[in-house]
Amino acid sequence: MPYYRRVGEVPRKRHTQFRQPDGSLYAEELVGQEGFSSDSSLLYHRYAPTAIVAAEEFTPPAYTRVPNLPLKPRHLRTHKLDGAGADPILGRQYLLANDDVRIAYVLADRPSPLFRDATGDHCLYLESGSLRVESPFGVLDAVAGDYVVIPTSTIHRLVPTGDEPVRLLAVEAAGHVGPPKRYLSVRGQFLEHSPYCERDVRGPDTPFQVDGEDVEVLVKHRRGWTRYTYARHPFDVVGWDGHLYPWAFSIHDFEPITGRVHQPPPVHQTFQGPNFVICSFVPRKVDYHPDAIPVPYNHHNVDSDEMLFYTGGNYEARRGSGIEQGSISLHPSGFTHGPQPGAAERSIGADFFDELAVMVDTFRPLDLCDAATACEDDGYAWTWARKG
């Protein structure tokens, strides 16, 4: 995360004696990226974070991946997926994946187990409901419209709160996710032209401690999954500081960049990951050139697949295609895509678009997973051939 945060009690100097009330030392844990050469945080535990008493292989829910063949645009209806009685981690239904990123959807009504993904960051988007993210860094509350970024190897638990289940889109990276570098100074501060800034970002602000012994934690790592049993609960941190921690940002705080003519997707970019980007399409004033055509022009992104998750409002370019709340469209490299027939003419004269969508563009092809096949609208690819 681009700015420093300090929570709870920490000593004045790092790596110096910091003692508990009984005189014993607190146990330091440095959590850092790129081998001590990038962002890190320093946590102070009451008990040793290394103490495990058991480890066994764990078999997670399975899913398969198949290529997008025949190559064509796809429409997935996530609200058609079965999901009652799921938790926000093990209940995820994987839709699309490649070696850089996995995209899943879940309807969850119960807490997840304690979980650590040692293979990459997670970027979660809450379509509806509310969620509490618990971790050694503290508690982070999220509501509909929030993105939550969970750094690699953070032990965490996701707890649905409120009266309705959580609908969640999970983007799981094989690496790190953060703000686009072009919006940051050389020292990591958001620049003036960034569509969001530090004031919009939320992080844990108080320590969160849970007592317990023989606590199970599921760990996904580069060779599979392992279930560890920790001697003491890992949520025993009295204080921490640094630049690496779970954080949240609301899509409603994204300030759109507009122009006289239609602006390309990079102006909507919100995050970057390894070989992919995440963009936010929000309600906004649209193009104000007197001859402007506000909807996108036909385009062929020759180096990327484009996935768009429709999460609110009316998406003008897709009217008449069957797109609805919770829909996902996949427009692959190798196929020119654009607005539905008649959309360009209908958009002329519009001065405002009321739409909300999350886009993931990948630079390697996305495969289809089981859940995608289960909720696909088979007629979507042919909708451009209809008369407008």
Side-chain angles (χ1 to χ4, degrees), residues 25-266:
L25 289 170
Y26 286 109
E28 286 185 309
E29 180 189 15
L30 181 73
V31 179
Q33 298 174 343
E34 298 179 15
F36 300 91
S37 301
S38 188
D39 293 346
S40 66
S41 285
L42 188 57
L43 295 83
Y44 294 87
H45 292 264
R46 291 184 295 161
Y47 305 102
T50 51
I52 58 173
V53 296
E56 59 182 341
E57 219 176 327
F58 178 79
T59 302
Y63 67 94
T64 59
R65 285 169 47 182
V66 297
N68 181 6
L69 292 175
L71 186 74
K72 64 177 183 177
R74 308 274 180 167
H75 172 206
L76 314 178
R77 289 174 163 158
T78 62
H79 286 198
K80 302 294 184 183
L81 293 170
D82 294 329
D87 78 66
I89 291 176
L90 294 182
R92 292 177 189 176
Q93 301 193 61
Y94 288 88
L95 298 162
L96 304 164
N98 61 26
D99 290 342
D100 304 312
V101 64
R102 300 168 301 277
I103 300 168
Y105 188 82
V106 64
L107 175 63
D109 61 1
R110 61 194 60 189
S112 75
L114 291 172
F115 174 69
R116 162 185 275 162
D117 190 339
T119 68
D121 294 359
H122 288 192
C123 182
L124 313 178
Y125 178 80
L126 270 71
E127 179 190 355
S128 62
S130 58
L131 190 72
R132 187 174 71 245
V133 183
E134 301 174 349
S135 77
F137 296 90
V139 170
L140 192 58
D141 290 313
V143 297
D146 277 346
Y147 291 104
V148 178
V149 178
I150 302 175
T152 305
S153 274
T154 300
I155 297 176
H156 63 280
R157 188 170 80 122
L158 304 179
V159 183
T161 57
D163 298 327
E164 62 174 313
V166 168
R167 289 189 176 272
L168 180 72
L169 184 76
V171 180
E172 302 175 3
H176 304 308
V177 174
K181 289 183 179 178
R182 70 179 181 277
Y183 291 142
L184 303 176
S185 75
V186 293
R187 294 179 177 84
Q189 182 180 5
F190 281 105
L191 298 171
E192 281 294 298
H193 64 279
S194 172
Y196 64 105
C197 72
E198 289 87 352
R199 296 186 187 183
D200 301 315
V201 169
R202 312 191 309 276
D205 53 15
T206 57
F208 176 60
Q209 298 184 17
V210 179
D211 290 322
E213 298 180 356
D214 296 334
V215 178
E216 291 185 351
V217 177
L218 299 179
V219 178
K220 180 182 179 183
H221 48 89
R222 296 172 187 174
R223 296 293 188 184
W225 288 58
T226 296
R227 177 163 47 208
Y228 288 110
T229 303
Y230 278 78
R232 306 301 293 254
H233 203 292
F235 297 171
D236 66 342
V237 172
V238 298
W240 61 271
D241 72 335
H243 290 252
L244 192 64
Y245 48 86
W247 55 284
F249 161 71
S250 174
I251 196 172
H252 303 298
D253 286 328
F254 186 88
E255 300 301 333
I257 298 170
T258 60
R260 293 185 71 216
V261 296
H262 187 79
Q263 298 298 293

